[in-house]
Amino acid sequence: MVSAWATQNHLVLGQTKAAEKSNEITGCMVTIDALGTQTEMAKTVIEGGGDYLLAVKENQGHLFEDIQFLFDVDVAHGYEREHSYAKTVNKGHGRMETREC
């Protein structure tokens, strides 16, 4: 079963049954929290024909700084970023997690 979920509203937007023995990621955008941010996961998504959006946290070596640098280069070249702000707070698995972007 594959679901589209609106986390902030605690609402399932839609569901569909995946084909038997499928990898459930064919031709789609896959978003994954920190648990799925592994090289093999990204490779599996691409091999299945999908795209991915993985979380990057400041504790992931120099990756966060590299990405920040690239955003700064874009700004220096006149590329505009859309200015928006989002914050979510999730409780579960024995912890409280706040995400801001």
Side-chain angles (χ1 to χ4, degrees):
M1 184 68 71
V2 179
S3 301
W5 178 258
T7 304
Q8 191 169 13
N9 298 321
H10 307 286
L11 178 67
V12 175
L13 300 174
Q15 290 184 325
T16 185
K17 183 176 180 183
E20 189 133 343
K21 296 188 180 186
S22 78
N23 61 10
E24 300 180 6
I25 60 172
T26 328
C28 64
M29 171 64 78
V30 176
T31 59
I32 306 170
D33 66 7
L35 180 65
T37 56
Q38 303 296 320
T39 306
E40 281 300 312
M41 179 62 71
K43 181 180 173 186
T44 301
V45 171
I46 290 171
E47 288 174 351
D51 294 305
Y52 62 85
L53 175 68
L54 304 177
V56 176
K57 295 182 178 180
E58 291 184 58
N59 65 351
Q60 292 177 298
H62 295 286
L63 180 61
F64 182 86
E65 290 86 5
D66 292 346
I67 292 171
Q68 183 64 54
F69 173 77
L70 292 174
F71 275 108
D72 292 343
V73 168
D74 284 348
V75 170
H77 285 95
Y79 298 113
E80 291 186 24
R81 287 192 246 173
E82 185 177 319
H83 298 283
S84 63
Y85 175 80
K87 179 178 180 178
T88 61
V89 178
N90 296 312
K91 297 176 186 176
H93 305 290
R95 65 177 184 255
M96 184 170 170
E97 188 173 280
T98 302
R99 297 178 183 187
E100 297 181 68
C101 64

PDB file of all heavy atoms in Angstrom, residues 24-64:
ATOM      1  N   GLU A  24       7.468  -0.369  -5.033  1.00  0.00           N
ATOM      2  CA  GLU A  24       6.590   0.732  -4.655  1.00  0.00           C
ATOM      3  C   GLU A  24       7.160   2.108  -4.918  1.00  0.00           C
ATOM      4  O   GLU A  24       6.628   3.097  -4.458  1.00  0.00           O
ATOM      5  CB  GLU A  24       6.189   0.632  -3.184  1.00  0.00           C
ATOM      6  CG  GLU A  24       5.453  -0.628  -2.848  1.00  0.00           C
ATOM      7  CD  GLU A  24       5.082  -0.694  -1.377  1.00  0.00           C
ATOM      8  OE1 GLU A  24       5.295   0.288  -0.655  1.00  0.00           O
ATOM      9  OE2 GLU A  24       4.562  -1.726  -0.958  1.00  0.00           O
ATOM     10  N   ILE A  25       8.253   2.230  -5.670  1.00  0.00           N
ATOM     11  CA  ILE A  25       8.842   3.546  -5.894  1.00  0.00           C
ATOM     12  C   ILE A  25       8.938   3.899  -7.373  1.00  0.00           C
ATOM     13  O   ILE A  25       9.628   4.820  -7.749  1.00  0.00           O
ATOM     14  CB  ILE A  25      10.234   3.646  -5.239  1.00  0.00           C
ATOM     15  CG1 ILE A  25      11.186   2.598  -5.802  1.00  0.00           C
ATOM     16  CG2 ILE A  25      10.138   3.566  -3.743  1.00  0.00           C
ATOM     17  CD1 ILE A  25      12.616   2.771  -5.346  1.00  0.00           C
ATOM     18  N   THR A  26       8.240   3.205  -8.228  1.00  0.00           N
ATOM     19  CA  THR A  26       8.352   3.415  -9.653  1.00  0.00           C
ATOM     20  C   THR A  26       7.788   4.760 -10.076  1.00  0.00           C
ATOM     21  O   THR A  26       6.647   5.072  -9.807  1.00  0.00           O
ATOM     22  CB  THR A  26       7.596   2.303 -10.408  1.00  0.00           C
ATOM     23  OG1 THR A  26       7.665   1.114  -9.646  1.00  0.00           O
ATOM     24  CG2 THR A  26       8.193   2.034 -11.740  1.00  0.00           C
ATOM     25  N   GLY A  27       8.613   5.569 -10.750  1.00  0.00           N
ATOM     26  CA  GLY A  27       8.166   6.820 -11.328  1.00  0.00           C
ATOM     27  C   GLY A  27       7.569   7.800 -10.351  1.00  0.00           C
ATOM     28  O   GLY A  27       6.473   8.302 -10.585  1.00  0.00           O
ATOM     29  N   CYS A  28       8.249   8.106  -9.292  1.00  0.00           N
ATOM     30  CA  CYS A  28       7.676   9.007  -8.299  1.00  0.00           C
ATOM     31  C   CYS A  28       8.774   9.767  -7.573  1.00  0.00           C
ATOM     32  O   CYS A  28       9.951   9.542  -7.788  1.00  0.00           O
ATOM     33  CB  CYS A  28       6.848   8.210  -7.304  1.00  0.00           C
ATOM     34  SG  CYS A  28       7.820   7.043  -6.344  1.00  0.00           S
ATOM     35  N   MET A  29       8.349  10.682  -6.738  1.00  0.00           N
ATOM     36  CA  MET A  29       9.275  11.400  -5.858  1.00  0.00           C
ATOM     37  C   MET A  29       9.192  10.740  -4.491  1.00  0.00           C
ATOM     38  O   MET A  29       8.112  10.628  -3.920  1.00  0.00           O
ATOM     39  CB  MET A  29       8.875  12.867  -5.749  1.00  0.00           C
ATOM     40  CG  MET A  29       9.634  13.640  -4.692  1.00  0.00           C
ATOM     41  SD  MET A  29      11.401  13.791  -4.987  1.00  0.00           S
ATOM     42  CE  MET A  29      11.418  15.076  -6.218  1.00  0.00           C
ATOM     43  N   VAL A  30      10.324  10.313  -3.993  1.00  0.00           N
ATOM     44  CA  VAL A  30      10.378   9.646  -2.698  1.00  0.00           C
ATOM     45  C   VAL A  30      11.018  10.601  -1.695  1.00  0.00           C
ATOM     46  O   VAL A  30      12.115  11.106  -1.926  1.00  0.00           O
ATOM     47  CB  VAL A  30      11.206   8.346  -2.780  1.00  0.00           C
ATOM     48  CG1 VAL A  30      11.344   7.698  -1.419  1.00  0.00           C
ATOM     49  CG2 VAL A  30      10.589   7.385  -3.785  1.00  0.00           C
ATOM     50  N   THR A  31      10.314  10.886  -0.619  1.00  0.00           N
ATOM     51  CA  THR A  31      10.886  11.682   0.467  1.00  0.00           C
ATOM     52  C   THR A  31      11.088  10.759   1.657  1.00  0.00           C
ATOM     53  O   THR A  31      10.226   9.948   1.974  1.00  0.00           O
ATOM     54  CB  THR A  31       9.973  12.856   0.865  1.00  0.00           C
ATOM     55  OG1 THR A  31       8.714  12.350   1.282  1.00  0.00           O
ATOM     56  CG2 THR A  31       9.789  13.806  -0.303  1.00  0.00           C
ATOM     57  N   ILE A  32      12.247  10.886   2.278  1.00  0.00           N
ATOM     58  CA  ILE A  32      12.614   9.967   3.347  1.00  0.00           C
ATOM     59  C   ILE A  32      13.238  10.768   4.487  1.00  0.00           C
ATOM     60  O   ILE A  32      13.997  11.696   4.244  1.00  0.00           O
ATOM     61  CB  ILE A  32      13.636   8.926   2.844  1.00  0.00           C
ATOM     62  CG1 ILE A  32      13.119   8.207   1.599  1.00  0.00           C
ATOM     63  CG2 ILE A  32      13.982   7.929   3.924  1.00  0.00           C
ATOM     64  CD1 ILE A  32      14.148   7.347   0.916  1.00  0.00           C
ATOM     65  N   ASP A  33      12.933  10.386   5.718  1.00  0.00           N
ATOM     66  CA  ASP A  33      13.577  11.051   6.847  1.00  0.00           C
ATOM     67  C   ASP A  33      15.000  10.517   6.999  1.00  0.00           C
ATOM     68  O   ASP A  33      15.490   9.772   6.163  1.00  0.00           O
ATOM     69  CB  ASP A  33      12.751  10.902   8.125  1.00  0.00           C
ATOM     70  CG  ASP A  33      12.663   9.475   8.624  1.00  0.00           C
ATOM     71  OD1 ASP A  33      13.344   8.581   8.072  1.00  0.00           O
ATOM     72  OD2 ASP A  33      11.915   9.238   9.578  1.00  0.00           O
ATOM     73  N   ALA A  34      15.661  10.906   8.053  1.00  0.00           N
ATOM     74  CA  ALA A  34      17.069  10.572   8.243  1.00  0.00           C
ATOM     75  C   ALA A  34      17.345   9.071   8.209  1.00  0.00           C
ATOM     76  O   ALA A  34      18.424   8.649   7.815  1.00  0.00           O
ATOM     77  CB  ALA A  34      17.570  11.169   9.554  1.00  0.00           C
ATOM     78  N   LEU A  35      16.378   8.253   8.576  1.00  0.00           N
ATOM     79  CA  LEU A  35      16.570   6.808   8.564  1.00  0.00           C
ATOM     80  C   LEU A  35      16.920   6.294   7.161  1.00  0.00           C
ATOM     81  O   LEU A  35      17.700   5.374   7.005  1.00  0.00           O
ATOM     82  CB  LEU A  35      15.306   6.106   9.066  1.00  0.00           C
ATOM     83  CG  LEU A  35      15.350   4.580   9.107  1.00  0.00           C
ATOM     84  CD1 LEU A  35      16.397   4.115  10.117  1.00  0.00           C
ATOM     85  CD2 LEU A  35      14.002   4.027   9.466  1.00  0.00           C
ATOM     86  N   GLY A  36      16.361   6.930   6.136  1.00  0.00           N
ATOM     87  CA  GLY A  36      16.575   6.444   4.771  1.00  0.00           C
ATOM     88  C   GLY A  36      17.673   7.150   4.015  1.00  0.00           C
ATOM     89  O   GLY A  36      17.844   6.927   2.824  1.00  0.00           O
ATOM     90  N   THR A  37      18.437   7.997   4.666  1.00  0.00           N
ATOM     91  CA  THR A  37      19.464   8.757   3.951  1.00  0.00           C
ATOM     92  C   THR A  37      20.755   7.955   3.831  1.00  0.00           C
ATOM     93  O   THR A  37      21.798   8.339   4.346  1.00  0.00           O
ATOM     94  CB  THR A  37      19.728  10.116   4.622  1.00  0.00           C
ATOM     95  OG1 THR A  37      20.075   9.886   5.982  1.00  0.00           O
ATOM     96  CG2 THR A  37      18.524  11.015   4.543  1.00  0.00           C
ATOM     97  N   GLN A  38      20.673   6.881   3.129  1.00  0.00           N
ATOM     98  CA  GLN A  38      21.820   6.022   2.880  1.00  0.00           C
ATOM     99  C   GLN A  38      22.050   5.939   1.375  1.00  0.00           C
ATOM    100  O   GLN A  38      21.117   6.011   0.585  1.00  0.00           O
ATOM    101  CB  GLN A  38      21.576   4.616   3.435  1.00  0.00           C
ATOM    102  CG  GLN A  38      21.250   4.589   4.914  1.00  0.00           C
ATOM    103  CD  GLN A  38      22.390   5.091   5.768  1.00  0.00           C
ATOM    104  OE1 GLN A  38      23.548   4.794   5.504  1.00  0.00           O
ATOM    105  NE2 GLN A  38      22.064   5.858   6.795  1.00  0.00           N
ATOM    106  N   THR A  39      23.293   5.765   0.978  1.00  0.00           N
ATOM    107  CA  THR A  39      23.651   5.682  -0.440  1.00  0.00           C
ATOM    108  C   THR A  39      22.858   4.604  -1.149  1.00  0.00           C
ATOM    109  O   THR A  39      22.359   4.808  -2.255  1.00  0.00           O
ATOM    110  CB  THR A  39      25.162   5.409  -0.586  1.00  0.00           C
ATOM    111  OG1 THR A  39      25.876   6.402   0.135  1.00  0.00           O
ATOM    112  CG2 THR A  39      25.584   5.437  -2.030  1.00  0.00           C
ATOM    113  N   GLU A  40      22.714   3.447  -0.519  1.00  0.00           N
ATOM    114  CA  GLU A  40      21.983   2.345  -1.146  1.00  0.00           C
ATOM    115  C   GLU A  40      20.515   2.695  -1.375  1.00  0.00           C
ATOM    116  O   GLU A  40      19.910   2.283  -2.358  1.00  0.00           O
ATOM    117  CB  GLU A  40      22.109   1.070  -0.312  1.00  0.00           C
ATOM    118  CG  GLU A  40      23.426   0.363  -0.495  1.00  0.00           C
ATOM    119  CD  GLU A  40      23.665  -0.067  -1.946  1.00  0.00           C
ATOM    120  OE1 GLU A  40      22.774  -0.667  -2.571  1.00  0.00           O
ATOM    121  OE2 GLU A  40      24.767   0.215  -2.451  1.00  0.00           O
ATOM    122  N   MET A  41      19.916   3.452  -0.458  1.00  0.00           N
ATOM    123  CA  MET A  41      18.517   3.850  -0.614  1.00  0.00           C
ATOM    124  C   MET A  41      18.363   4.755  -1.831  1.00  0.00           C
ATOM    125  O   MET A  41      17.478   4.560  -2.657  1.00  0.00           O
ATOM    126  CB  MET A  41      18.015   4.565   0.645  1.00  0.00           C
ATOM    127  CG  MET A  41      16.571   5.019   0.548  1.00  0.00           C
ATOM    128  SD  MET A  41      15.377   3.684   0.337  1.00  0.00           S
ATOM    129  CE  MET A  41      15.437   2.942   1.945  1.00  0.00           C
ATOM    130  N   ALA A  42      19.229   5.749  -1.963  1.00  0.00           N
ATOM    131  CA  ALA A  42      19.175   6.653  -3.113  1.00  0.00           C
ATOM    132  C   ALA A  42      19.379   5.880  -4.412  1.00  0.00           C
ATOM    133  O   ALA A  42      18.668   6.099  -5.398  1.00  0.00           O
ATOM    134  CB  ALA A  42      20.219   7.750  -2.973  1.00  0.00           C
ATOM    135  N   LYS A  43      20.312   4.958  -4.417  1.00  0.00           N
ATOM    136  CA  LYS A  43      20.586   4.135  -5.599  1.00  0.00           C
ATOM    137  C   LYS A  43      19.357   3.311  -5.975  1.00  0.00           C
ATOM    138  O   LYS A  43      18.991   3.215  -7.150  1.00  0.00           O
ATOM    139  CB  LYS A  43      21.779   3.219  -5.325  1.00  0.00           C
ATOM    140  CG  LYS A  43      22.158   2.335  -6.480  1.00  0.00           C
ATOM    141  CD  LYS A  43      23.356   1.465  -6.100  1.00  0.00           C
ATOM    142  CE  LYS A  43      23.645   0.460  -7.183  1.00  0.00           C
ATOM    143  NZ  LYS A  43      24.698  -0.479  -6.809  1.00  0.00           N
ATOM    144  N   THR A  44      18.692   2.733  -5.005  1.00  0.00           N
ATOM    145  CA  THR A  44      17.497   1.924  -5.255  1.00  0.00           C
ATOM    146  C   THR A  44      16.380   2.765  -5.862  1.00  0.00           C
ATOM    147  O   THR A  44      15.696   2.331  -6.798  1.00  0.00           O
ATOM    148  CB  THR A  44      17.009   1.269  -3.949  1.00  0.00           C
ATOM    149  OG1 THR A  44      18.062   0.452  -3.428  1.00  0.00           O
ATOM    150  CG2 THR A  44      15.774   0.430  -4.166  1.00  0.00           C
ATOM    151  N   VAL A  45      16.191   3.973  -5.354  1.00  0.00           N
ATOM    152  CA  VAL A  45      15.151   4.860  -5.882  1.00  0.00           C
ATOM    153  C   VAL A  45      15.436   5.191  -7.342  1.00  0.00           C
ATOM    154  O   VAL A  45      14.556   5.112  -8.204  1.00  0.00           O
ATOM    155  CB  VAL A  45      15.038   6.151  -5.040  1.00  0.00           C
ATOM    156  CG1 VAL A  45      14.122   7.165  -5.702  1.00  0.00           C
ATOM    157  CG2 VAL A  45      14.546   5.828  -3.631  1.00  0.00           C
ATOM    158  N   ILE A  46      16.683   5.558  -7.653  1.00  0.00           N
ATOM    159  CA  ILE A  46      17.050   5.911  -9.026  1.00  0.00           C
ATOM    160  C   ILE A  46      16.895   4.717  -9.953  1.00  0.00           C
ATOM    161  O   ILE A  46      16.355   4.841 -11.054  1.00  0.00           O
ATOM    162  CB  ILE A  46      18.491   6.461  -9.069  1.00  0.00           C
ATOM    163  CG1 ILE A  46      18.520   7.833  -8.392  1.00  0.00           C
ATOM    164  CG2 ILE A  46      18.991   6.565 -10.505  1.00  0.00           C
ATOM    165  CD1 ILE A  46      19.903   8.382  -8.176  1.00  0.00           C
ATOM    166  N   GLU A  47      17.340   3.552  -9.517  1.00  0.00           N
ATOM    167  CA  GLU A  47      17.206   2.347 -10.345  1.00  0.00           C
ATOM    168  C   GLU A  47      15.752   2.008 -10.614  1.00  0.00           C
ATOM    169  O   GLU A  47      15.423   1.418 -11.635  1.00  0.00           O
ATOM    170  CB  GLU A  47      17.918   1.163  -9.682  1.00  0.00           C
ATOM    171  CG  GLU A  47      19.425   1.272  -9.749  1.00  0.00           C
ATOM    172  CD  GLU A  47      20.139   0.177  -8.971  1.00  0.00           C
ATOM    173  OE1 GLU A  47      19.474  -0.588  -8.224  1.00  0.00           O
ATOM    174  OE2 GLU A  47      21.370   0.099  -9.092  1.00  0.00           O
ATOM    175  N   GLY A  48      14.852   2.390  -9.698  1.00  0.00           N
ATOM    176  CA  GLY A  48      13.427   2.148  -9.886  1.00  0.00           C
ATOM    177  C   GLY A  48      12.742   3.218 -10.728  1.00  0.00           C
ATOM    178  O   GLY A  48      11.535   3.178 -10.918  1.00  0.00           O
ATOM    179  N   GLY A  49      13.511   4.188 -11.221  1.00  0.00           N
ATOM    180  CA  GLY A  49      12.943   5.218 -12.082  1.00  0.00           C
ATOM    181  C   GLY A  49      12.396   6.409 -11.330  1.00  0.00           C
ATOM    182  O   GLY A  49      11.724   7.262 -11.905  1.00  0.00           O
ATOM    183  N   GLY A  50      12.668   6.506 -10.045  1.00  0.00           N
ATOM    184  CA  GLY A  50      12.148   7.614  -9.249  1.00  0.00           C
ATOM    185  C   GLY A  50      13.188   8.682  -8.982  1.00  0.00           C
ATOM    186  O   GLY A  50      14.337   8.583  -9.393  1.00  0.00           O
ATOM    187  N   ASP A  51      12.752   9.721  -8.332  1.00  0.00           N
ATOM    188  CA  ASP A  51      13.615  10.776  -7.840  1.00  0.00           C
ATOM    189  C   ASP A  51      13.485  10.791  -6.330  1.00  0.00           C
ATOM    190  O   ASP A  51      12.523  10.265  -5.782  1.00  0.00           O
ATOM    191  CB  ASP A  51      13.184  12.134  -8.404  1.00  0.00           C
ATOM    192  CG  ASP A  51      13.388  12.211  -9.902  1.00  0.00           C
ATOM    193  OD1 ASP A  51      14.517  11.972 -10.357  1.00  0.00           O
ATOM    194  OD2 ASP A  51      12.415  12.496 -10.622  1.00  0.00           O
ATOM    195  N   TYR A  52      14.435  11.418  -5.645  1.00  0.00           N
ATOM    196  CA  TYR A  52      14.376  11.410  -4.190  1.00  0.00           C
ATOM    197  C   TYR A  52      14.696  12.775  -3.605  1.00  0.00           C
ATOM    198  O   TYR A  52      15.361  13.597  -4.220  1.00  0.00           O
ATOM    199  CB  TYR A  52      15.305  10.358  -3.596  1.00  0.00           C
ATOM    200  CG  TYR A  52      16.778  10.571  -3.913  1.00  0.00           C
ATOM    201  CD1 TYR A  52      17.552  11.412  -3.122  1.00  0.00           C
ATOM    202  CD2 TYR A  52      17.367   9.930  -4.986  1.00  0.00           C
ATOM    203  CE1 TYR A  52      18.885  11.611  -3.414  1.00  0.00           C
ATOM    204  CE2 TYR A  52      18.705  10.126  -5.277  1.00  0.00           C
ATOM    205  CZ  TYR A  52      19.455  10.961  -4.493  1.00  0.00           C
ATOM    206  OH  TYR A  52      20.782  11.157  -4.778  1.00  0.00           O
ATOM    207  N   LEU A  53      14.198  12.975  -2.433  1.00  0.00           N
ATOM    208  CA  LEU A  53      14.493  14.146  -1.626  1.00  0.00           C
ATOM    209  C   LEU A  53      14.849  13.610  -0.247  1.00  0.00           C
ATOM    210  O   LEU A  53      14.004  13.039   0.441  1.00  0.00           O
ATOM    211  CB  LEU A  53      13.264  15.064  -1.531  1.00  0.00           C
ATOM    212  CG  LEU A  53      13.390  16.271  -0.627  1.00  0.00           C
ATOM    213  CD1 LEU A  53      14.394  17.256  -1.206  1.00  0.00           C
ATOM    214  CD2 LEU A  53      12.041  16.924  -0.455  1.00  0.00           C
ATOM    215  N   LEU A  54      16.123  13.740   0.120  1.00  0.00           N
ATOM    216  CA  LEU A  54      16.590  13.203   1.383  1.00  0.00           C
ATOM    217  C   LEU A  54      16.942  14.331   2.344  1.00  0.00           C
ATOM    218  O   LEU A  54      17.408  15.393   1.926  1.00  0.00           O
ATOM    219  CB  LEU A  54      17.824  12.313   1.166  1.00  0.00           C
ATOM    220  CG  LEU A  54      17.652  11.154   0.192  1.00  0.00           C
ATOM    221  CD1 LEU A  54      18.967  10.413   0.014  1.00  0.00           C
ATOM    222  CD2 LEU A  54      16.573  10.210   0.648  1.00  0.00           C
ATOM    223  N   ALA A  55      16.733  14.112   3.595  1.00  0.00           N
ATOM    224  CA  ALA A  55      17.032  15.113   4.618  1.00  0.00           C
ATOM    225  C   ALA A  55      18.536  15.276   4.778  1.00  0.00           C
ATOM    226  O   ALA A  55      19.288  14.311   4.708  1.00  0.00           O
ATOM    227  CB  ALA A  55      16.422  14.682   5.945  1.00  0.00           C
ATOM    228  N   VAL A  56      18.985  16.514   4.975  1.00  0.00           N
ATOM    229  CA  VAL A  56      20.381  16.795   5.263  1.00  0.00           C
ATOM    230  C   VAL A  56      20.422  17.550   6.580  1.00  0.00           C
ATOM    231  O   VAL A  56      19.775  18.576   6.732  1.00  0.00           O
ATOM    232  CB  VAL A  56      21.042  17.640   4.152  1.00  0.00           C
ATOM    233  CG1 VAL A  56      22.470  18.004   4.534  1.00  0.00           C
ATOM    234  CG2 VAL A  56      21.015  16.900   2.837  1.00  0.00           C
ATOM    235  N   LYS A  57      21.177  17.018   7.516  1.00  0.00           N
ATOM    236  CA  LYS A  57      21.305  17.654   8.823  1.00  0.00           C
ATOM    237  C   LYS A  57      22.727  18.149   9.003  1.00  0.00           C
ATOM    238  O   LYS A  57      23.652  17.700   8.332  1.00  0.00           O
ATOM    239  CB  LYS A  57      20.947  16.658   9.933  1.00  0.00           C
ATOM    240  CG  LYS A  57      19.497  16.221   9.886  1.00  0.00           C
ATOM    241  CD  LYS A  57      19.198  15.284  11.032  1.00  0.00           C
ATOM    242  CE  LYS A  57      17.741  14.873  11.019  1.00  0.00           C
ATOM    243  NZ  LYS A  57      17.430  13.965  12.112  1.00  0.00           N
ATOM    244  N   GLU A  58      22.906  19.082   9.911  1.00  0.00           N
ATOM    245  CA  GLU A  58      24.223  19.678  10.131  1.00  0.00           C
ATOM    246  C   GLU A  58      25.250  18.681  10.656  1.00  0.00           C
ATOM    247  O   GLU A  58      26.442  18.937  10.578  1.00  0.00           O
ATOM    248  CB  GLU A  58      24.108  20.862  11.088  1.00  0.00           C
ATOM    249  CG  GLU A  58      23.369  22.036  10.464  1.00  0.00           C
ATOM    250  CD  GLU A  58      23.339  23.241  11.374  1.00  0.00           C
ATOM    251  OE1 GLU A  58      24.419  23.727  11.759  1.00  0.00           O
ATOM    252  OE2 GLU A  58      22.223  23.686  11.697  1.00  0.00           O
ATOM    253  N   ASN A  59      24.807  17.542  11.152  1.00  0.00           N
ATOM    254  CA  ASN A  59      25.746  16.563  11.705  1.00  0.00           C
ATOM    255  C   ASN A  59      26.228  15.554  10.658  1.00  0.00           C
ATOM    256  O   ASN A  59      26.839  14.562  11.003  1.00  0.00           O
ATOM    257  CB  ASN A  59      25.117  15.821  12.888  1.00  0.00           C
ATOM    258  CG  ASN A  59      23.934  14.963  12.479  1.00  0.00           C
ATOM    259  OD1 ASN A  59      23.463  15.037  11.348  1.00  0.00           O
ATOM    260  ND2 ASN A  59      23.446  14.173  13.402  1.00  0.00           N
ATOM    261  N   GLN A  60      25.983  15.798   9.385  1.00  0.00           N
ATOM    262  CA  GLN A  60      26.391  14.862   8.335  1.00  0.00           C
ATOM    263  C   GLN A  60      27.681  15.321   7.668  1.00  0.00           C
ATOM    264  O   GLN A  60      27.714  15.650   6.480  1.00  0.00           O
ATOM    265  CB  GLN A  60      25.266  14.697   7.314  1.00  0.00           C
ATOM    266  CG  GLN A  60      24.076  13.975   7.908  1.00  0.00           C
ATOM    267  CD  GLN A  60      22.921  13.868   6.958  1.00  0.00           C
ATOM    268  OE1 GLN A  60      22.369  14.859   6.536  1.00  0.00           O
ATOM    269  NE2 GLN A  60      22.553  12.634   6.622  1.00  0.00           N
ATOM    270  N   GLY A  61      28.742  15.338   8.422  1.00  0.00           N
ATOM    271  CA  GLY A  61      30.055  15.705   7.892  1.00  0.00           C
ATOM    272  C   GLY A  61      30.034  17.079   7.258  1.00  0.00           C
ATOM    273  O   GLY A  61      29.470  18.018   7.813  1.00  0.00           O
ATOM    274  N   HIS A  62      30.638  17.176   6.097  1.00  0.00           N
ATOM    275  CA  HIS A  62      30.697  18.457   5.397  1.00  0.00           C
ATOM    276  C   HIS A  62      29.563  18.623   4.391  1.00  0.00           C
ATOM    277  O   HIS A  62      29.506  19.633   3.690  1.00  0.00           O
ATOM    278  CB  HIS A  62      32.038  18.595   4.687  1.00  0.00           C
ATOM    279  CG  HIS A  62      33.193  18.667   5.638  1.00  0.00           C
ATOM    280  ND1 HIS A  62      33.464  19.787   6.378  1.00  0.00           N
ATOM    281  CD2 HIS A  62      34.101  17.733   5.996  1.00  0.00           C
ATOM    282  CE1 HIS A  62      34.501  19.556   7.140  1.00  0.00           C
ATOM    283  NE2 HIS A  62      34.915  18.306   6.946  1.00  0.00           N
ATOM    284  N   LEU A  63      28.667  17.671   4.320  1.00  0.00           N
ATOM    285  CA  LEU A  63      27.587  17.731   3.333  1.00  0.00           C
ATOM    286  C   LEU A  63      26.726  18.981   3.508  1.00  0.00           C
ATOM    287  O   LEU A  63      26.437  19.688   2.540  1.00  0.00           O
ATOM    288  CB  LEU A  63      26.711  16.476   3.417  1.00  0.00           C
ATOM    289  CG  LEU A  63      25.548  16.413   2.429  1.00  0.00           C
ATOM    290  CD1 LEU A  63      26.057  16.439   0.991  1.00  0.00           C
ATOM    291  CD2 LEU A  63      24.731  15.149   2.669  1.00  0.00           C
ATOM    292  N   PHE A  64      26.339  19.283   4.739  1.00  0.00           N
ATOM    293  CA  PHE A  64      25.514  20.456   4.992  1.00  0.00           C
ATOM    294  C   PHE A  64      26.223  21.728   4.536  1.00  0.00           C
ATOM    295  O   PHE A  64      25.652  22.577   3.856  1.00  0.00           O
ATOM    296  CB  PHE A  64      25.153  20.547   6.477  1.00  0.00           C
ATOM    297  CG  PHE A  64      24.263  21.709   6.810  1.00  0.00           C
ATOM    298  CD1 PHE A  64      22.888  21.589   6.703  1.00  0.00           C
ATOM    299  CD2 PHE A  64      24.791  22.922   7.221  1.00  0.00           C
ATOM    300  CE1 PHE A  64      22.055  22.655   7.004  1.00  0.00           C
ATOM    301  CE2 PHE A  64      23.966  23.994   7.531  1.00  0.00           C
ATOM    302  CZ  PHE A  64      22.596  23.859   7.416  1.00  0.00           C
TER     303      PHE A  64
END
